Amino acid sequence: MTVSCDSVRNWLSAWIDGERTPLSSEDFERHLAECADCDKAARTLRGFLRTVASAYVPAAVPSSLEASVRGVARRRSALRRFAPVIAAMSAAAAVALVVFTLLRPAPVQAASLAEAAAWAHEGLASGVLPLDVEGGNATELSRWLTERVGFQVVLPKLEDSTLEFHGGRLVPLEGAYAAVVSFERNGEPVSLGIAPRHAEGNLADAPRTELFRNMKFSTRTVRGLSVISWSEGSLSYALVSRVPATGRASCAVCHGAKSGLKSVDEFHGMR
C-alpha cells in the first residue's frame, strides 16, 4: 500500500524521536527512499534537532570558576545577580518546549468509536487530515490495517461500481488505535470506523435504534454528521457520512446490491 506524503510529514517528528506512530519504521524508510521531498524534510528535521540539542550540551567548568560561583551562591545577593540568567534559561527551555510541541500532532481524545470516526471523517473529507495509507485494493488495505491495530480487519471486495475505496487511517481510541476506512459512494465521502467491541466507548445521548438480523443498529448525529453504529462478533463499527440514513441500510454500503438488502431504507440513493 502507498503511504501518503502528508501522513509521513504528520508523524515524522514523533518517529524520529522514537515514539510510537500509526506508521511502522518500514513505512517511513520505504517512503523516504522513494520520495526525495520527504527525505529532504527528514534530513532537515534531524539537522534542526541536532542544532537544538547541541545548544544545551554542558561545557566543562574550570574548578576556580565553580568555587567562585558556589561561594557567591551562599550569599543572598547572589540570587539577584543570577536572576537574569535563570530567567533567560527558563525562557529558552519554554521556547524549546513550544517548538517540539508544534512539531508533533496533537492527540485527540475521543469518548467513543462513533466520535473518533466522526472526527476522522471530518478531517479526511475536508483534506485537513491525511490518509495514513492510500489505495483501493480491499485485500491490501485490510492487511495493512490489521498489522497495525492489533485486531483482524476484513474489508469486502466492492461489488458496486458506485463505491470506491480511498485508503485508511488510524485514530487514537482507548489508549490504542481504531481503523478508519475512507471511501466514496456516488461521489459522497463515507468513513467506516472499526475497533474492538470492548473499546467502542459510549456517548451520553439517546440514539435511535433498530434491530436487524440479531444486530442492534444505533443512529445518531455527531459533529453534524450521520453516524450508524453496530457490533458484530468481537468488533464494533461506525459508519459516517453527511447523508441521513438508518441502521440496517448501512449494510448495503459495503455489500452492495448482491447482499439481498434491496428493500432496506434509503442510503446514499440506494433503495
Side-chain angles (χ1 to χ4, degrees):
M1 299 297 292
T2 302
V3 178
S4 69
C5 291
D6 285 341
S7 187
V8 168
R9 301 290 183 91
N10 194 31
W11 297 102
L12 187 59
S13 178
W15 174 65
I16 288 177
D17 284 347
E19 298 179 8
R20 184 189 177 202
T21 74
L23 306 182
S24 67
S25 291
E26 291 75 14
D27 290 328
F28 281 103
E29 292 166 359
R30 185 183 306 110
H31 184 87
L32 295 181
E34 298 173 351
C35 179
D37 289 341
C38 288
D39 182 59
K40 180 179 179 180
R43 287 187 281 107
T44 299
L45 180 56
R46 287 191 176 103
F48 169 75
L49 295 177
R50 285 195 297 269
T51 300
V52 173
S54 65
Y56 294 93
V57 174
V61 179
S63 58
S64 58
L65 176 60
E66 181 179 359
S68 176
V69 171
R70 289 184 182 278
V72 174
R74 285 192 289 266
R75 297 190 296 271
R76 294 178 61 87
S77 60
L79 295 176
R80 290 192 296 272
R81 291 177 57 188
F82 282 91
V85 176
I86 294 173
M89 293 175 63
S90 299
V95 170
L97 178 60
V98 170
V99 169
F100 282 109
T101 299
L102 292 175
L103 287 173
R104 296 186 177 87
V108 175
Q109 299 299 325
S112 68
L113 175 61
E115 187 177 276
W119 165 77
H121 177 87
E122 191 174 52
L124 292 169
S126 64
V128 174
L129 193 66
L131 290 166
D132 286 332
V133 61
E134 298 176 349
N137 185 294
T139 301
E140 292 182 4
L141 183 56
S142 298
R143 181 169 54 250
W144 192 94
L145 292 170
T146 297
E147 291 173 351
R148 288 157 179 80
V149 294
F151 55 85
Q152 186 72 30
V153 176
V154 180
L155 301 174
K157 293 182 179 180
L158 299 182
E159 300 173 343
D160 191 330
S161 60
T162 65
L163 302 180
E164 179 183 359
F165 278 135
H166 286 172
R169 180 176 175 88
L170 277 62
V171 296
L173 180 66
E174 294 292 319
Y177 288 110
V180 175
V181 180
S182 176
F183 55 98
E184 285 187 12
R185 179 178 177 84
N186 288 325
E188 176 68 30
V190 183
S191 298
L192 177 65
I194 311 171
R197 195 165 188 163
H198 64 80
E200 67 174 323
N202 185 39
L203 292 178
D205 65 345
R208 301 181 299 280
T209 60
E210 178 184 357
L211 294 177
F212 177 64
R213 294 186 178 178
N214 298 319
M215 288 188 290
K216 180 180 179 180
F217 292 87
S218 299
T219 305
R220 53 166 57 86
T221 300
V222 181
R223 302 173 69 89
L225 298 164
S226 176
V227 182
I228 303 173
S229 305
W230 73 97
S231 296
E232 184 177 10
S234 61
L235 298 180
S236 292
Y237 303 85
L239 190 73
V240 187
S241 79
R242 290 196 178 278
V243 179
T246 54
R248 58 184 178 180
S250 60
C251 298
V253 174
C254 285
H255 298 286
K258 296 182 179 180
S259 63
L261 300 174
K262 296 179 181 179
S263 61
V264 298
D265 296 333
E266 180 178 351
F267 187 86
H268 297 316
M270 182 172 185
R271 296 183 182 277

